[in-house]
Each structure stands twice: as C-alpha cells, then as structure tokens.
C-alpha cells in the first residue's frame, strides 16, 4: 500500500497500468458495437491513447496525470455504454401483448 501519495510505488504503477489497459479494451469493444464510422474511429483513438498511457505509466509517465486519465476514462466509458444501451432500448419495439412463438 502506498503510504506517500507523492511517490507512487511500483505496485501502484502496475495497478494503474492494468486499469488503463482494461479501460482501453472496453473502448475497443465499444468501437465494435457502434455503427457510425466517426464514433468508431473516436472510440478506437481513445483506446489507443489509453493503451499508450497504460504502457508509459510503467516507466516514467506522470502518475497523477495518468490517474486523472483513468478517472475520466472510467466515467466516459460508462456514459458511452449507457448511451448505447439506451439507444438499443429505444430502437427495439416493445413486446407488449404479443404471444411468444
């Protein structure tokens, strides 16, 4: 456990790198689920950026900035996933009063 926030330990850097790479995978997955070409390109760009930061944090990247990127990316990917789910629900007709085959 990190006792001094100003100097992150190696295990802190590894944990943050893992979190960033996991977020990058979530962005890549979202990129495959959207139809819009610009949206897919932006999600893929974000995934590449997070993967790059995840690798850089293991060496000499600013830990606090990488932590801020992880926080923002977590919020962003949750909003993107929620938006996609909402749009799917809106586009799917209700099954009210229909008999199951």
């Amino acid at each position: 456990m990190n006792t001094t926030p100003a100097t992150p330990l190696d295990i802190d850097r590894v944990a943050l790198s893992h979190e960033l790479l996991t977020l990058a995978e979530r962005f890549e997955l979202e990129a495959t689920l959207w139809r819009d070409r610009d949206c897919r390109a932006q999600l893929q760009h974000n995934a590449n950026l997070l993967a790059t930061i995840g690798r850089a944090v293991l060496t000499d990247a600013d830990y606090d900035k990488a932590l801020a990127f992880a926080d923002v990316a977590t919020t962003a990917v949750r909003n993107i996933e929620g938006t996609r789910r909402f749009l799917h629900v809106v586009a799917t007709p209700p099954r009210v009063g229909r008999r199951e085959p």
Side-chain angles (χ1 to χ4, degrees):
M1 184 175 165
N2 189 358
T3 56
T4 309
T7 57
L9 301 175
D10 289 342
I11 191 69
D12 297 325
R13 289 186 174 276
V14 169
L16 181 58
S17 175
H18 180 266
E19 181 180 355
L20 287 164
L21 293 173
T22 302
L23 287 167
E25 288 176 359
R26 287 175 67 182
F27 271 96
E28 282 186 34
L29 175 64
E30 282 297 317
T32 64
L33 299 175
W34 286 82
R35 288 185 185 171
D36 184 48
R37 183 178 24 183
D38 294 334
C39 184
R40 285 194 317 258
Q42 186 63 39
L43 289 168
Q44 189 62 43
H45 173 74
N46 289 345
N48 293 340
L49 178 65
L50 288 171
T52 302
I53 295 170
R55 288 187 298 271
V57 78
L58 291 174
T59 56
D60 60 352
D62 186 0
Y63 181 81
D64 293 329
K65 285 183 183 178
L67 188 61
F69 268 100
D71 290 341
V72 169
T74 300
T75 303
V77 79
R78 286 180 181 166
N79 288 338
I80 292 165
E81 290 168 346
T83 301
R84 180 182 45 80
R85 289 182 186 131
F86 172 77
L87 292 174
H88 177 72
V89 168
V90 169
T92 304
R95 300 190 61 106
V96 178
R98 296 184 186 169
R99 292 187 179 175
E100 293 293 323

